[in-house]
C-alpha cells in the first residue's frame, strides 16, 4: 500500500517513499500585523479558535518554509460563473491571502492564507462584505444555512408562481375580448387587480435578481442579473403608469402577466439548481462518516479513556474493537486481525494484519480486537489526504466556466445598448412608441427560452434516469455523459460484487507442498472439499464463508475449534487429528499467488482453493454495449495485476491499470483528458473520490462510499451496470432535444428581435411570444424523460 500524505501544493503524486509528517497547525494564531486588517465582528471571532479553525483548515509549508493555512469554505448566494469571480476578487484583497479558488458549481472556495497576516474569520468577513454568504466547510452551520436558503427559495418561487397564475386570470379577458367588447371600467379594475398581485413579486420574489445586479454594479461589472433587473423595473414602471394614468405618457397597455410569469420561470430554474447543489452538499457532509468520532486511548498505567479522535497525538496507543473503524494510521502492536480496506484501496479481500503491519484510518477491523500505535492523525492520514485531493479537484474551474466569464460581460452590455438604442431612436422618430419598443426589446432579449432550452431537457432526463435507478446530482453531467468518449471503470464493487466466490480446487505437488494448476477430479478429492467446507463453516471470514457456501459440507463433528485472525482456523476430528484451513504459512503449504486458502491434515497438505470475484449481473452485456457505442474502456483496480487482467479478459476490456493508488488513478485520468475529449469514471470507493471529482462526468455505485457518492455526478442506486448503458442512451436523446430547443429559441429571437426594434411588436405580444416560446421548449423537453 502506497503511503499518502498531503503536500504543500498536492497537485502531483509523490514517489513511493515514506512520507514526512505534515506540518502541524500553530498552537495559537500569531497576532496579525498592526493595521493590516479590520477587527472582525464578535460573532466571527469563534472561527479563530484552533479547534474550530482546524475543522476546515489544513496546514501546509511553502517553499520558503512558511506555515500556511488552506481553508475550505461553503459559499451561498452564487447563481452564475460571474459570482465566482466576484468572490475571488473579494478574498484576493484580504491581506495575507496567497491563493483563491472558487468553484461556482459546487459552491466551495479554497483559500491559501498566511496566519501571521490574517485570520480565518477575516476570510468569511470578506465574502460576506461582497454580498455573499460563507461558513466553514463543516456540517452544522452549513446544514442550518442550507435549510434557511431552501425555505426562502421555495417561498419566493411559491409567491411568484401563485401571483403569476392569478395575474394571468385577470389578463385573459383582455386577450380574448374583441375590440369594444370590454368596458373601460372593467379593464381598469382588472389592471388594478394585476398591479396589486404584482406587488408581492416585486417586494419579495425578485430579491435575488436585484441583489445580484447590485453586487455586480458595486464590483464594477455587468452580471447576468442586471438585464433581468432592468427589464423587471422598466416593465413594472411602465405598467404602473398605464394603470394609474391610462391616458398618460405610458399608454394604456400593462404587462404584469409577462412580468410575473417571467419571474416565476427564472425562479423555477434556479430552484432546481439549488436542490441539486444541496443534495451534493448533504452527501459531502458524510464524507468523513467512515472515521469514528471517538477512540479508546490506552494510558501508561493500563487505563482506557474514551477521547475525541481530534485529541489523538502521534505515539498514543488505541484499542480498536471488532467492527470498528481505525481512527488513525499506524502499526499494530498487539493482536492479529484483518482489515476491510475495500473502500480505501479497492482491494476486495480483507487484508490480514499482525503485529508490525500498518493499518489505515477509515478501514474496518473485521477480525479481532487489536492494539494500534498512532503514527499519523488528522490531515496526515491517508483518508484525509484522499479527501484533500478530492477538494482540490472540485476547486478547479473548467474551461467552460472561464469562457463564460470572458463573454458574459460583452453580451450583456450589448443587450443593454440595444435596448437603449431602440429607445433613443424611437424618441426621435415617434416618442409615443419609444417606451413600448424599449420594453419589447428587453422582454424579447431576456433569454427565457434560451435559458430553458438546455435545463428543461436536462431536468426531464434526470427525472427519467431517477425512475430507472440513476440519480443525477449535476445537470451538466447529462451533456458530458453523452459526449464521453473514454470511460475508466473501477473493478471491485463496480463490475464485481464485493464478495469472493470459490473458483476451483487444486492439488498440491507430491512431497513439495506446492500446488499445481490441475483441478481436482472426482470422486477422490470430494471428501477433501467436504471437510474444508465443514471446517470453513466455523469462520466468518469472507473466504471461509464463500467456501462453505459453494461446497457441500461433511457431517464431521469438530472439536477444539480455534481461529487465528489473519491466518486461519484449526480443529480436531473424531480421531484427535488436527486439521488446518487457511493461509500457506498456517498450513505449511508453499505460497502461491493464485491460491488463497489451503487445507492440511496434520503435516500433510491436502488441497488448495482458488477464488474469483462475482461479476455483477449484466456487466458483460454493459461492457459490450459500451464498446459497440464507440467508447474506449480502461479498467482501474487496486488488486493484483493477475486478478485484474483475468477479469478484464473475461469481460473483453483491453486496457488495464492494476495496483493503482489514488494518485495513479488520478494521473491516468488526467493524462486521458489532455487531448480534450470528455473522459468519464465509474467507481465506488473512497480511493475513487478524487478521480470522480476530476472526471468530466462521473458515476458511483449506490452501495459505495459516501465520499465517492458525494463527488459523483450521478449515483447508480440500482447497482446494475446495464443502467449505465441506459443512462448514456438517455443522455444522448436529451442532448438531441437540447439542440432542437436551442434551434427553436434562436429562430424565435431572430424573428422577434427585428420586429421589436422596428416597433412592430408591442410589449404584450413580446411577452406572449416569450411565454409561448418557453412553453414549446418545455413541452419538447419533457420527451427527454421518456
Amino acid at each position: 500500500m502506497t503511503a499518502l500524505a498531503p503536500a504543500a501544493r498536492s497537485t502531483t503524486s509523490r514517489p513511493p517513499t515514506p512520507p514526512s509528517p505534515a506540518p502541524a497547525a500553530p498552537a495559537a494564531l500569531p497576532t496579525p500585523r498592526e493595521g493590516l486588517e479590520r477587527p472582525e465582528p464578535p460573532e466571527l471571532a469563534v472561527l479563530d479558535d484552533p479547534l474550530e479553525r482546524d475543522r476546515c483548515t489544513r496546514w501546509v509549508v511553502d517553499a520558503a518554509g512558511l506555515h500556511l493555512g488552506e481553508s475550505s469554505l461553503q459559499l451561498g448566494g452564487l447563481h452564475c460563473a460571474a459570482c465566482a469571480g466576484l468572490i475571488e476578487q473579494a478574498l484576493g484583497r484580504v491581506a495575507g491571502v496567497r491563493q483563491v479558488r472558487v468553484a461556482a458549481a459546487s459552491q466551495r472556495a479554497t483559500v491559501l492564507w498566511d496566519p501571521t497576516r490574517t485570520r480565518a474569520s477575516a476570510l468569511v468577513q470578506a465574502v460576506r462584505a461582497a454580498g455573499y454568504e460563507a461558513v466553514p466547510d463543516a456540517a452544522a452551520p452549513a446544514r442550518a444555512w442550507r435549510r434557511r436558503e431552501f425555505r426562502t427559495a421555495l417561498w419566493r418561487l411559491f409567491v411568484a408562481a401563485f401571483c403569476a397564475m392569478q395575474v394571468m386570470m385577470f389578463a385573459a379577458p383582455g386577450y380574448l375580448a374583441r375590440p369594444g367588447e370590454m368596458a373601460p371600467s372593467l379593464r381598469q379594475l382588472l389592471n388594478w387587480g394585476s398591479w396589486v398581485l404584482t406587488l408581492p413579486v416585486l417586494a419579495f420574489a425578485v430579491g435575488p435578481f436585484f441583489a445580484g445586479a447590485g453586487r455586480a454594479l458595486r464590483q464594477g461589472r455587468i452580471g447576468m442579473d442586471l438585464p433581468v433587473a432592468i427589464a423587471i423595473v422598466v416593465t413594472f414602471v411602465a405598467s404602473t403608469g398605464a394603470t394609474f394614468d391610462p391616458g398618460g405618457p405610458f399608454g394604456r397597455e400593462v404587462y404584469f402577466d409577462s412580468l410575473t410569469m417571467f419571474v416565476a420561470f427564472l425562479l423555477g430554474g434556479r430552484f432546481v439548481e439549488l436542490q441539486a447543489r444541496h443534495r451534493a452538499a448533504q452527501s459531502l457532509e458524510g464524507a468523513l462518516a467512515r472515521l469514528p468520532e471517538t477512540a479508546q486511548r490506552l494510558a501508561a498505567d493500563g487505563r482506557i479513556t474514551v477521547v475525541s479522535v481530534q485529541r489523538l497525538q502521534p505515539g498514543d496507543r488505541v484499542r480498536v474493537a471488532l467492527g470498528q473503524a481505525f481512527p488513525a494510521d499506524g502499526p499494530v502492536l498487539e493482536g492479529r486481525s484483518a482489515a476491510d480496506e475495500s473502500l480505501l484501496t479497492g482491494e476486495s479481500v480483507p487484508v490480514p494484519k499482525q503485529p508490525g503491519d500498518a493499518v489505515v484510518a477509515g478501514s474496518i477491523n473485521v477480525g479481532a480486537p487489536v492494539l494500534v500505535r498512532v503514527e499519523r492523525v488528522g490531515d496526515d492520514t491517508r483518508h484525509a489526504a484522499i479527501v484533500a485531493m478530492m477538494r482540490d479537484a472540485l476547486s478547479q474551474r473548467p474551461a467552460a466556466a472561464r469562457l463564460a466569464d470572458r463573454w458574459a460581460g460583452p453580451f450583456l452590455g450589448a443587450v443593454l445598448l440595444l435596448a437603449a438604442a431602440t429607445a433613443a431612436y424611437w424618441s426621435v422618430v415617434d416618442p409615443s412608441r419609444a417606451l413600448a419598443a424599449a420594453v419589447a426589446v428587453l422582454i424579447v432579449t431576456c433569454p427565457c427560452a434560451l435559458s430553458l432550452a438546455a435545463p428543461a431537457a436536462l431536468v426531464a432526463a434526470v427525472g427519467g434516469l431517477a425512475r430507472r435507478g440513476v440519480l443525477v446530482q449535476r445537470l451538466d453531467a447529462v451533456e458530458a455523459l453523452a459526449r464521453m468518449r473514454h470511460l475508466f471503470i473501477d473493478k471491485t464493487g463496480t463490475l464485481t460484487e464485493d464478495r469472493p466466490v470459490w473458483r476451483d480446487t487444486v492439488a498440491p505437488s507430491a512431497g513439495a507442498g506446492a500446488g499445481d494448476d490441475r483441478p481436482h477430479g472426482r470422486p477422490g478429492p470430494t471428501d477433501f472439499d467436504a471437510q474444508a467446507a465443514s471446517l470453513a463453516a466455523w469462520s466468518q471470514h469472507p473466504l471461509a464463508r464463500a467456501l462453505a457456501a459453494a461446497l457441500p459440507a461433511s457431517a464431521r463433528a469438530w472439536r477444539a475449534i480455534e481461529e487465528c485472525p489473519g491466518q486461519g482456523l484449526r480443529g480436531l476430528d473424531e480421531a484427535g487429528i488436527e486439521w488446518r484451513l487457511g493461509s500457506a504459512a498456517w498450513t505449511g503449504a508453499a505460497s502461491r499467488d493464485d491460491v488463497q486458502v489451503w487445507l492440511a491434515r496434520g503435516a500433510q497438505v491436502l488441497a488448495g482453493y482458488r477464488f474469483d470475484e462475482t461479476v455483477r449481473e449484466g456487466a458483460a452485456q454493459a461492457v459490450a454495449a459500451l464498446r459497440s457505442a464507440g467508447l474506449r474502456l480502461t479498467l482501474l483496480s487496486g488488486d493484483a495485476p493477475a486478478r485484474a487482467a483475468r477479469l478484464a479478459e473475461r469481460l473483453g476490456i483491453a486496457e488495464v491499470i492494476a495496483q493503482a493508488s489514488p494518485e495513479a488513478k488520478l494521473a491516468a485520468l488526467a493524462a486521458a483528458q489532455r487531448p480534450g475529449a470528455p473522459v468519464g469514471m465509474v467507481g465506488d470507493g473512497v480511493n475513487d473520490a478524487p478521480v470522480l471529482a476530476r472526471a468530466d462526468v462521473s458515476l458511483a455505485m449506490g452501495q459505495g462510499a459516501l465520499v465517492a457518492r458525494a463527488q459523483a455526478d450521478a449515483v447508480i442506486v440500482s447497482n446494475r451496470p446495464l443502467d449505465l448503458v441506459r443512462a448514456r442512451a438517455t443522455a444522448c436523446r436529451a442532448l438531441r432535444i437540447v439542440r432542437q430547443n436551442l434551434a427553436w429559441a434562436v429562430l424565435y429571437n431572430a424573428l422577434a428581435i427585428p420586429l421589436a426594434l422596428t416597433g412592430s411588436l408591442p410589449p404584450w405580444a413580446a411577452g406572449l411570444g416569450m411565454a409561448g416560446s418557453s412553453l414549446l421548449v418545455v413541452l419538447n423537453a419533457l420527451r427527454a424523460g421518456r
Side-chain angles (χ1 to χ4, degrees):
M1 191 184 330
T2 304
L4 177 66
R9 304 304 307 150
S10 54
T11 57
T12 58
S13 301
R14 288 175 175 262
T17 56
S20 58
L29 269 175
T31 302
R33 295 173 188 172
E34 189 69 27
L36 289 176
E37 60 180 15
R38 297 174 299 174
E40 56 276 343
E43 64 272 13
L44 296 180
V46 69
L47 301 179
D48 298 323
D49 178 80
L51 281 180
E52 292 296 326
R53 179 193 63 206
D54 293 347
R55 293 177 63 193
C56 65
T57 303
R58 64 170 179 161
W59 299 94
V60 297
V61 177
D62 66 0
L66 181 65
H67 281 72
L68 301 176
E70 188 176 66
S71 298
S72 296
L73 301 177
Q74 179 73 48
L75 305 175
L78 283 77
H79 299 296
C80 61
C83 298
L86 296 177
I87 295 177
E88 286 183 348
Q89 291 179 5
L91 287 170
R93 287 193 291 266
V94 177
V97 170
R98 297 290 191 88
Q99 184 180 6
V100 182
R101 295 197 306 268
V102 178
S106 58
Q107 293 205 344
R108 188 162 281 102
T110 302
V111 187
L112 189 67
W113 53 283
D114 183 355
T116 65
R117 303 188 61 195
T118 188
R119 300 175 183 271
S121 56
L123 308 179
V124 176
Q125 185 179 3
V127 176
R128 293 180 178 178
Y132 298 91
E133 184 59 64
V135 293
D137 191 2
R143 186 165 52 249
W145 176 82
R146 283 200 309 272
R147 282 197 298 266
R148 292 194 300 270
E149 185 183 38
F150 178 84
R151 285 196 298 265
T152 302
L154 184 60
W155 271 109
R156 292 188 194 277
L157 177 59
F158 170 76
V159 169
F162 180 80
C163 292
M165 289 188 293
Q166 307 309 312
V167 171
M168 283 299 299
M169 289 188 353
F170 287 160
Y175 293 132
L176 300 177
R178 292 190 294 270
E181 188 175 7
M182 181 180 296
S185 59
L186 178 58
R187 182 183 296 274
Q188 188 70 5
L189 178 62
L190 293 177
N191 289 347
W192 273 100
S194 298
W195 181 81
V196 171
L197 288 170
T198 305
L199 291 179
V201 178
L202 264 293
F204 177 65
V206 300
F209 307 118
F210 289 154
R215 286 193 296 262
L217 290 176
R218 285 195 299 271
Q219 297 286 338
R221 300 177 60 178
I222 300 177
M224 293 291 290
D225 289 327
L226 186 58
V228 175
I230 292 177
I232 291 172
V233 170
V234 172
T235 304
F236 180 74
V237 170
S239 300
T240 301
T243 300
F244 280 88
D245 186 12
F250 294 101
R252 59 181 66 251
E253 296 294 338
V254 298
Y255 322 112
F256 296 120
D257 52 342
S258 299
L259 170 62
T260 53
M261 183 170 51
F262 175 60
V263 172
F265 268 121
L266 290 182
L267 288 177
R270 291 192 175 185
F271 184 74
V272 171
E273 296 175 2
L274 176 71
Q275 286 183 303
R277 290 196 301 266
H278 282 192
R279 283 196 299 268
Q282 289 164 2
S283 299
L284 184 59
E285 288 175 359
L288 299 179
R290 193 168 175 85
L291 288 176
E293 295 181 357
T294 60
Q296 296 181 352
R297 184 166 61 187
L298 185 64
D301 58 3
R303 291 185 297 107
I304 293 180
T305 307
V306 178
V307 299
S308 169
V309 293
Q310 297 185 22
R311 296 296 183 184
L312 291 179
Q313 299 293 331
D316 287 345
R317 295 179 300 164
V318 293
R319 185 170 298 280
V320 183
L322 177 64
Q324 287 185 344
F326 291 99
D329 293 356
V332 175
L333 297 179
E334 297 178 6
R336 297 175 181 270
S337 183
D340 178 5
E341 300 177 350
S342 59
L343 295 181
L344 286 168
T345 66
E347 176 61 52
S348 57
V349 179
V351 181
K353 301 293 180 182
Q354 56 186 351
D357 291 343
V359 296
V360 182
S363 59
I364 305 297
N365 182 14
V366 296
V370 292
L371 185 66
V372 176
R373 184 179 71 247
V374 174
E375 280 192 349
R376 292 184 295 273
V377 295
D379 290 342
D380 199 23
T381 63
R382 181 179 178 85
H383 183 277
I386 290 175
V387 173
M389 291 169 59
M390 168 196 68
R391 283 176 174 163
D392 286 342
L394 269 178
S395 298
Q396 296 172 1
R397 301 181 68 188
R402 295 193 295 269
L403 183 63
D405 289 344
R406 191 160 56 247
W407 287 102
F411 170 77
L412 296 174
V415 169
L416 298 180
L417 289 176
L418 185 63
T422 302
Y425 172 81
W426 284 106
S427 296
V428 175
V429 176
D430 186 356
S432 64
R433 301 175 63 181
L435 181 61
V439 170
V441 169
L442 282 173
I443 293 177
V444 166
T445 53
C446 284
C448 190
L450 279 171
S451 64
L452 287 173
L458 298 180
V459 168
V462 166
L465 290 173
R467 291 190 294 271
R468 296 175 179 87
V470 180
L471 298 181
V472 178
Q473 301 186 120
R474 184 173 66 90
L475 292 181
D476 291 342
V478 178
E479 180 180 358
L481 183 61
R483 298 182 184 276
M484 176 183 64
R485 292 295 176 266
H486 190 174
L487 179 63
F488 286 84
I489 309 178
D490 177 59
K491 181 179 74 70
T492 304
T494 303
L495 293 175
T496 66
E497 301 285 355
D498 54 1
R499 61 181 184 274
V501 62
W502 172 75
R503 175 159 58 113
D504 58 22
T505 306
V506 296
S509 299
D516 57 27
D517 289 335
R518 294 171 297 170
H520 271 315
R522 295 197 184 273
T526 301
D527 184 58
F528 295 157
D529 292 346
Q531 306 310 320
S534 177
L535 190 56
W538 288 86
S539 173
Q540 291 299 310
H541 192 280
L543 293 177
R545 291 163 60 186
L547 195 63
L551 299 174
S554 69
R556 173 160 287 173
W558 300 99
R559 57 189 179 89
I561 297 291
E562 181 182 354
E563 182 169 6
C564 182
Q567 296 294 320
L569 70 161
R570 58 188 174 189
L572 302 180
D573 60 14
E574 298 89 340
I577 301 176
E578 182 182 82
W579 292 66
R580 291 194 174 202
L581 182 72
S583 65
W586 178 252
T587 58
S591 178
R592 284 181 51 177
D593 290 339
D594 62 335
V595 180
Q596 292 87 16
V597 176
W598 294 92
L599 176 69
R601 181 178 58 194
Q604 180 184 9
V605 179
L606 302 176
Y609 299 93
R610 299 190 291 193
F611 295 83
D612 273 337
E613 294 172 297
T614 304
V615 177
R616 286 191 183 275
E617 182 181 357
Q621 296 92 318
V623 169
L626 293 172
R627 290 180 57 196
S628 64
L631 265 67
R632 176 184 172 188
L633 303 180
T634 300
L635 181 66
L636 289 179
S637 176
D639 273 354
R643 190 182 305 172
R646 188 164 57 246
L647 179 69
E649 182 181 2
R650 180 178 176 183
L651 296 179
I653 300 177
E655 299 181 27
V656 182
I657 300 178
Q659 286 184 330
S661 64
E663 304 96 319
K665 292 183 178 182
L666 192 60
L669 185 133
Q673 287 177 319
R674 290 192 189 103
V679 178
M681 170 68 187
V682 184
D684 77 320
V686 172
N687 64 314
D688 299 323
V691 193
L692 292 170
R694 177 69 182 270
D696 298 293
V697 59
S698 55
L699 300 97
M701 306 304 284
Q703 92 293 344
L706 291 176
V707 66
R709 299 201 304 268
Q711 298 319 306
D713 298 322
V715 178
I716 305 177
V717 180
S718 61
N719 295 318
R720 295 188 296 263
L722 279 174
D723 283 339
L724 171 61
V725 179
R726 300 186 182 100
R728 189 170 187 275
T730 300
C732 292
R733 182 171 64 251
L735 199 58
R736 289 194 299 269
I737 293 175
V738 167
R739 295 192 187 102
Q740 296 170 4
N741 286 345
L742 289 174
W744 162 251
V746 170
L747 178 62
Y748 162 73
N749 281 276
L751 295 175
I753 290 177
L755 294 175
L757 290 173
T758 59
S760 304
L761 188 68
W764 68 265
L768 188 62
M770 181 196 68
S773 176
S774 301
L775 181 61
L776 181 61
V777 164
V778 171
L779 292 177
N780 187 45
L782 293 178
R783 299 190 301 113
R786 296 176 182 172

